[in-house]
Amino acid sequence: MSSRYPHMFKPLDLGFTTLKNRVMMGSMHTNLEETKNWDRVAEFYAERARGGVSLMVTGGIAPNQEGGVFAQAAGLYDQGDVKNHSAITKRVHEADGKIAMQILHAGRYAYSPQCVAPSPIKSPISPFVPAELDAAGVEKQIQDIAETAARAREAGYDGVEIMGSEGYLLNQFLVTHTNHRTDEWGGSYENRMRFPVEVVKRARQAVGEDFIIIYRLSMIDLIPNGSTHEEVVVLARAIERAGATLINTGIGWHEARIPTIATSVPRAAFAWVTKKLMGQVSIPLITSNRINTPEVAEDVLATGCADMVSMARPFLADADFVAKAAKGQAEQIAPCIACNQACLDHTFSGKISSCLVNPRACYETELKFRPAKEPKAIAVVGAGPAGLSAAMTAAECGHSVTLFDQSDQIGGQLNLAKQVPGKEEFHGLVDWFQARIDALPIKTVLGTRVTAGDLDSFDDVIVATGVVPRDPKIEGQNNSNVHSYIDILSGNRRVGERVAVIGAGGIGFDVSEFLVTEQEDSPSTNLPQWLKEWGVADPAEARGGLAVAGGEDAAPVRNVTLLQRKKEKHGKRLGKTTGWIHRAALNKKNVNMIGGVNYERITDEGLEISFGETRENPTLIAADDIILCSGQESERQLANKLLEAGKTVHIIGGADVAAELDAKRAIDQGVRLGLSL
Ligand code: NAP
Ligand code: SF4
């Protein structure tokens, strides 16, 4: 059953309990706990327990008011909370799962004026200056965390994870960057690590021996004055002695300016960091970050990087990840493409997390697959993300589905996205759609442009015909040196060394990235190059793992100017947690970003622009080629014909609304429609 992944499916004996495989679902803050809809929270975890993961960790739960990530963050403060959390553990245990509760004290990262820290130093990602803890305050935090661990046990959890990484309170005590104390909790490393070690010791005393304590240890801080590898080893040994059962890996503080989980980060990019600690302690080590397929997980384990892997977002994408891997159906696992669009971007906007690929994530009690009462004959026109999702969902509910596309391949605009360096994960997404379409009773008719008359025999028609590029109406745009983004990303057009890109939305950024990188050499599939470009070093050689970024390999292959009419910062509307990465990546390649422009005309010499309402400061952007990335409009010709003919038509995806279209909205709309037919 599990012969393809022998290391992944080897049980892990913890002495008092055994984990049935080596896969843990890592902690994710989904904002679900904050809904206080405990049935919904319980179903989220129970569905994943049924999917075969051996151990799950909840989102961060505060041990006290001052430690909450924000003012109303979920906590485990009293017997009422114990009762609420019992609903989760009961359902998980009924599904033969195990679950640990993460205790998260945010310290100076708490978005609250009540926040506390070892020293009163504001973080760059928070507006609040934390109050310095006095001796009694330090003792209170330790006591609160220990008591929370005891309450977690009372609530039926199998363990706790003590959050000691990502720059939260325990991490803040460890490094001089945030700890300027001169008492027994600061100064020497021995003093600075006293707080996390004491926390683990007291938590162990509070919960007894037969209860899992995971300590999440920051193995590479990626901030100035972060820990050295030597200090990490000293801490890990002390944490083991203090009573931890497992050590999990933390990579980078939240304020670090190096991406650690975004899609452009190579897969398993930080497993080597955990490997450095292997053999230094005798308790099992868990590694994490950008592990998203059974193959990668197996490889990480087989090459001795860790005893166990933690994956978090992949369990939003597919609750049955482990069960499908066990059945040898890896191609059926919905892939996490690490986009952050529906998970972290939602969390940081105060919304409930979900998943771009799987809109049911965190909506399990609302979006349910039920057999259709009256199965219908359904035509889906357009095999982009919206059409594919609608077709799959309708077929899963028992409808008879025919999927049409004028192209001879499925995927629509995803096929363009996958050409962009740093977006290689989109290959996996298209492959997964193909595997699902093949596995379901869906008739596919590709390479055919259907007309309204071809669809007469269907009960319902779903129009997912997508978008066409917007006409920016710029003088000279029909010159031979002007191309659409489709020509560029589909590889139909090679361009010269100087390029102007009109439009700095998601596609303008993608096209710029494509133009400045040699296609064979995406850093996202070349770990040494990626580490070098972002300045990640071995923490045994450079404190915190921070080296100087860049180097000769970072030279751009083209001279690109990226323009927009708006005066705002380029990329402001890209993902909340990833916009800065796209901007930083283009800055590293010297892309010239110019805003607040008017497009005057295009000539053989390049693009003429001016600035402001009075069209002052006329400037020529000398360019061999000009690429139009000026947004899209809905493609509705077929929809309009069908509506005129009186057909029942459902219009989804870009054909419905082109503005701000992305795969998240397209897939969500497709799934919801498929369930409602
Ligand atoms: P978009 O995000 O709407 O951007 C269109 C760009 O064209 C804007 O920069 C806009 O800026 C400019 N523009 C609009 N009308 C124009 C006109 N008449 N003349 C000249 N310029 C004009 O569209 P997109 O870049 O095509 O992306 C489509 C969707 O895919 C978006 O929702 C995007 O978020 C998504 N996507 C996301 C990513 C990602 O990484 N998250 C990547 C690719 C695509 P000004 O009006 O200021 O000139
Ligand atoms: Fe992964 Fe994107 Fe889904 Fe988040 S939204 S779980 S990053 S695929």
Side-chain angles (χ1 to χ4, degrees), residues 62-71 73-74 77 104-107 109-112:
N64 53 29
Q65 293 289 348
E66 60 269 32
V69 180
F70 52 91
Y77 303 144
L104 169 64
H105 191 308
Y109 279 169
Y111 196 83
S112 148

Side-chain angles (χ1 to χ4, degrees), residues 160 170 187 212 226 245 327 332 344 368 388 443 469 634:
V160 289
L170 277 65
I212 298 169
T245 322
K327 282 191 251 168
Q332 297 292 329
L344 277 182
K368 290 188 172 163
L388 286 164
K443 186 177 170 202
S634 298

Side-chain angles (χ1 to χ4, degrees), residues 275-312:
K275 190 175 189 179
K276 289 178 73 69
L277 197 59
M278 288 289 278
Q280 305 285 348
V281 288
S282 52
I283 53 176
L285 298 183
I286 307 168
T287 195
S288 72
N289 288 50
R290 287 292 281 119
I291 298 169
N292 67 340
T293 68
E295 282 69 26
V296 177
E298 177 67 16
D299 185 58
V300 162
L301 294 169
T303 53
C305 294
D307 301 291
M308 196 168 177
V309 293
S310 168
M311 291 181 257

Side-chain angles (χ1 to χ4, degrees), residues 89-119:
T89 56
K90 181 168 176 286
R91 291 270 277 286
V92 167
H93 292 151
E94 282 165 4
D96 192 29
K98 285 189 169 42
I99 184 161
M101 190 192 84
Q102 188 186 72
I103 304 177
L104 169 64
H105 191 308
R108 73 174 191 158
Y109 279 169
Y111 196 83
S112 148
Q114 284 184 39
C115 63
V116 295
S119 301

